[in-house]
Amino acid sequence: MPVLTAAVAARPSSVGITVVGAVLLAAVLHAAWNALAHAITDRLVGFALIGVGVSLGGAVLVLVSPAPDRASWACLAGSAALHVAYNLLLMRSYRLGEFGQVYPIARGTSPLLVAVGAAVLVGEDLSPVRLAGVLVISLGLGALVLVGGVPTRAARPAIAAAVLTGVSIAAYTTLDGIGVRSAGSVLGYTGWLFLLQGPWLPLGAAVVRRGALWRDLRPHLLTGLSGGALSLAAYGLVLWAQTRGALAPIAALRETSVIVGAIIGAVLFGERFGRWRIAATVLVATGVVLITL
């Protein structure tokens, strides 16, 4: 496939300090927009407003940026479809489980899957130290999941939804890593990605809620649209980073958002942040150090 050939030719082999900073900022923004989404108890309304926000932002980027190269459009279309599935799965996860539980599961499932996908599809090689970093981050994220013991039967549907969310994250991350490298325009690729995937949940909400939609949306307008803006900014930074660094370390760095998510869960939502969660967070931070060496 031409797009794979172009992505292989363009693949970066390192992760510079500027890229690390951009991805860590993206991780903070990602945790923030997910917290806003979780704070809106009417999940359909929350995700519909986020969809409106990213659609508007995507439209602006499309108008002011060069169009992505034709070679990237297959990845762009596939990623847009995966993002819709991701949003539906994430919405279900937040309906079923606590933020501090399902968020780290969803984010923690993807780093190793991305590492495998990048190795198979783009031919990226991870040094032993960086591979150890990815494994340590994944171990820390797994420990975050198991804080408080083995999940109960009642918690398993939420965990299953969160794991599937993580699989969708790995799929679209790998696809976008290939697509954006052949796009020739990070902003153009970002704009079209959000413009293609953003409207579907708002349209679904309009069908489900009909005449009651505006009444339901109005109290949450600022929160939901702010979440959309943060979502676009967070993933735009990740797409930029993927043109300048190896996919697997970037994916692992991005999942450090669970540290911020754990703090948000404890401070804003009153969820437990005990010594085991602190230890798991230290593991994640150790993995970050390893993959940036």
Side-chain angles (χ1 to χ4, degrees), residues 33 47-61 87 190-191 193-199 202 224-225 227-233:
W33 85 253
F47 279 85
L49 283 171
I50 288 169
V52 171
V54 299
S55 299
L56 293 174
V60 171
L61 289 179
N87 281 312
T190 303
L193 175 61
F194 281 100
L195 188 58
L196 288 172
Q197 60 100 354
L225 294 177
L230 291 175
S231 174
L232 190 149

Side-chain angles (χ1 to χ4, degrees), residues 37-65:
H38 189 273
I40 300 174
T41 54
D42 187 332
R43 305 298 181 214
L44 182 58
V45 163
F47 279 85
L49 283 171
I50 288 169
V52 171
V54 299
S55 299
L56 293 174
V60 171
L61 289 179
V62 165
L63 289 173
V64 302
S65 306

Side-chain angles (χ1 to χ4, degrees), residues 11 16 18 36 75 99 105 117 126 134 139 151 157 179 196 229 239-240 250 263:
R11 71 179 186 266
T18 303
L36 291 175
C75 290
F99 181 78
I105 297 173
L126 281 176
V134 173
L139 180 63
L196 288 172
L239 289 172
W240 173 84
I250 286 172
I263 295 170

Side-chain angles (χ1 to χ4, degrees), residues 120-200:
V120 172
L121 296 175
V122 191
E124 286 187 358
D125 294 321
L126 281 176
S127 70
V129 172
R130 286 190 181 138
L131 181 58
V134 173
L135 291 171
V136 169
I137 287 176
S138 298
L139 180 63
L141 296 175
L144 280 169
V145 172
L146 294 174
V147 168
V150 177
T152 64
R153 182 183 295 272
R156 289 172 192 170
I159 291 173
V163 169
L164 289 174
T165 304
V167 173
S168 70
I169 293 167
Y172 74 63
T173 299
T174 304
L175 205 56
D176 283 332
I178 296 168
V180 74
R181 290 177 183 178
S182 59
S185 170
V186 175
L187 289 179
Y189 188 96
T190 303
W192 276 106
L193 175 61
F194 281 100
L195 188 58
L196 288 172
Q197 60 100 354
W200 294 103

